[in-house]
Amino acid sequence: MISPFDHSPWDFWDRADPADHTAQRALQTDLMRAHPGWRFDDRCFVSDHSSVDNDDLTLGARTYVAAGAYLTGSLHAGSDCSINPYTVLRGRIVLGDGVRIGAHTSILGFNHTMSDPDLPVFRQPLTSRGIRVGDDVWIGSHVVILDGVTVGSHSVIAAGAVVTKDVPNGAIVAGNPARFLKWRIAPADPLPERIEEFGKRARASALAILERSWDASADLFTDRPGQATTVRAQCDAIEIADLLLGTAPPQLPAAEQVRRLRSWQDAETGAVAPLGKPHPDLNNPDVAYHVECVGYALDLLGSQFAHPVPALSGGTAAEVTAFLDGLPWESEAWTAGHWVDAVGTSLYWSRQRGDARDPAFAETLLGWLVSRADADTGVWGGGDLLQRVNGFYRASRGTFAQFGIPIPYPRAVVDTVLVHAEDETLFASAAQNACNVLDVAHPLWLARDAGHRAAEVTALARTLLGQAMDHWVDGEGFAFHPGSDGAAPGLQGTEMWLAIVWYLADLAGLSDRLGYRPRGIHQPEPAASLA
């Protein structure tokens, strides 16, 4: 017969009859006799209507197992733990003190393999990394915690959550998959001081970084030692010097750097070819990027292009529509966004110079983007999330961000970017590159005023920020892809990661600790208004 204490055992030792106490002690003695490795501390309770079939079992003082619970594998539970009705604990599990587990929850410290497609899953071997839960943790009803997870002390897991990743100490998480909601107990925050120290180290390294990439024989910069000189390297050097030193690179007088940059612009097309090429190819993606990097480098040096800037898409509203329609949005949204960035930036330089443009050009460009944005995702085009998110960054940087215009669907953008950022193949620390992280940080920053999922955005920004600063090398800067084999710091990686650090720090409310703020191609303020 089932008694009320089988399902509600928390006050068994205070309210049950002495005879029931005697029976419970006898049950535990029998269990420990049958299983020499099992141990029960004082005032434990194990319902004889539970299924306890562990290889190894320890229950701390005042820990109970209610009716319907199903336990297998290795379980070590501390004191004051509750394993409530119909809870399933299987595999290798360690619970700290004061872990309260709601009914119908499954904590599964093992998993099936499925590497052999010709063998049924149930015949393939199991793996077990185990699950560890800290002290003072509340796990709600109908929660699922999967193998390999560590749940930090003082955390709360909301009812129905599916936990696939570690839960920090003091965090409250919810959802499927479980996501951070807020802090129950906020941890001591070392990040502000770490950011401040990083800013100091970066400024102290600036001269060495520039000198390391200076090719004295060519009087030009390379991205890193041993590489060829490029247009981009000159621009990256100017951006880094302005950001960290507040001056032009000291290797050449600023006036000479201006003269060179302006001399590289082709008078006929208005574009800048790669070094050593006599004429720019307007279909070359590098030429499209030169519209941005050379223009902003000149701007930082107090100058501008010498000749009218190419429209790239044509000069009229009809031509820009045809150009946008012809971009590979469905197959290569990243490439399409790259060209939109260049078109928007060419519009900016034309307006700065006072060059003639079709008055409807800007409205057509922005109108096309607004009308073609997907309301469900906030982004453009098809393909995988990497293509669409990175394409959104490029297209929005050169248009909405550059001209201070709100993006069409900020809440949808946040949702899309947060899903994308869960991809460990791209965003685990060792897998990161500067493009992928910048293309997450900037869209989240653009959408920040919507306040959508703000706690999750902040948590992601803090995580990525800490990892970004880990990539820094004193005196050399950042590698573009820090975790790849043979990756070496260079000007491109340094310029991009410094901007990434600022955007992530600003999302975390800590950018004032850095001591620098981007002014060039990654400046947070709109460059101009279309009004």
Side-chain angles (χ1 to χ4, degrees), residues 84-333:
N84 271 308
Y86 310 106
T87 294
V88 176
L89 277 72
R90 304 189 65 195
R92 293 191 298 115
I93 299 170
V94 177
L95 307 179
D97 296 332
V99 177
R100 316 299 281 188
I101 305 171
H104 300 279
T105 281
S106 295
I107 302 178
L108 306 174
F110 74 100
N111 209 342
H112 287 278
T113 57
M114 47 186 172
S115 55
D116 186 347
D118 299 321
L119 193 65
V121 170
F122 77 93
R123 296 190 183 280
Q124 299 195 40
L126 300 177
T127 61
S128 179
R129 293 183 291 163
I131 293 171
R132 182 174 293 273
V133 181
D135 299 329
D136 179 32
V137 174
W138 177 18
I139 301 171
S141 297
H142 295 277
V143 167
V144 177
I145 302 177
L146 299 183
D147 188 34
V149 165
T150 295
V151 178
S153 295
H154 315 296
S155 58
V156 176
I157 301 175
V162 178
V163 184
T164 61
K165 296 181 180 180
D166 291 352
V167 177
N169 291 341
I172 300 175
V173 302
N176 179 7
R179 295 186 175 94
F180 175 86
L181 291 184
K182 61 181 179 179
W183 293 110
R184 176 189 170 215
I185 301 174
D189 190 0
L191 200 55
E193 290 186 8
R194 189 178 175 202
I195 291 171
E196 192 169 314
E197 178 61 24
F198 169 81
K200 292 177 181 177
R201 290 169 60 193
R203 288 190 294 278
S205 292
L207 290 173
I209 290 169
L210 294 169
E211 188 60 32
R212 176 175 176 267
S213 291
W214 177 248
D215 182 346
S217 64
D219 273 354
L220 292 168
F221 286 99
T222 65
D223 181 68
R224 56 192 185 275
Q227 301 294 301
T229 57
T230 63
V231 172
R232 178 166 189 158
Q234 318 315 305
C235 302
D236 288 336
I238 290 166
E239 293 264 4
I240 292 166
D242 182 84
L243 192 66
L244 300 180
L245 300 173
T247 65
Q251 281 72 16
L252 280 177
E256 174 59 18
Q257 296 179 54
V258 168
R259 187 197 65 77
R260 288 189 176 189
L261 291 173
R262 285 167 61 91
S263 73
W264 291 340
Q265 186 188 21
D266 179 63
E268 181 179 349
T269 64
V272 177
L275 294 182
K277 300 289 185 181
H279 302 291
D281 175 3
L282 295 184
N283 294 313
N284 184 334
D286 288 342
V287 171
Y289 189 73
H290 293 165
V291 171
E292 303 168 36
C293 69
V294 174
Y296 273 104
L298 284 168
D299 191 57
L300 290 173
L301 295 173
S303 187
Q304 60 182 353
F305 280 114
H307 308 289
V309 182
L312 298 172
S313 59
T316 68
E319 288 171 331
V320 75
T321 298
F323 178 82
L324 294 170
D325 285 340
L327 291 173
W329 292 102
E330 294 305 314
S331 59
E332 298 178 46

Side-chain angles (χ1 to χ4, degrees), residues 332-357:
E332 298 178 46
W334 193 350
T335 299
H338 173 87
W339 286 100
V340 171
D341 194 356
V343 169
T345 306
S346 74
L347 170 63
Y348 170 57
W349 300 129
S350 292
R351 290 172 63 89
Q352 293 297 96
R353 284 179 38 85
D355 296 336
R357 275 281 175 108

Side-chain angles (χ1 to χ4, degrees), residues 415-439:
D415 290 337
T416 299
V417 172
L418 288 180
V419 170
H420 175 53
E422 292 176 358
D423 187 343
E424 291 291 312
T425 66
L426 299 172
F427 295 101
S429 183
Q432 294 168 359
N433 69 45
C435 270
N436 294 344
V437 181
L438 177 62
D439 297 1

Side-chain angles (χ1 to χ4, degrees), residues 69-90:
Y70 176 34
L71 280 57
T72 68
S74 172
L75 172 62
H76 292 269
S79 60
D80 299 300
C81 293
S82 64
I83 301 171
N84 271 308
Y86 310 106
T87 294
V88 176
L89 277 72
R90 304 189 65 195

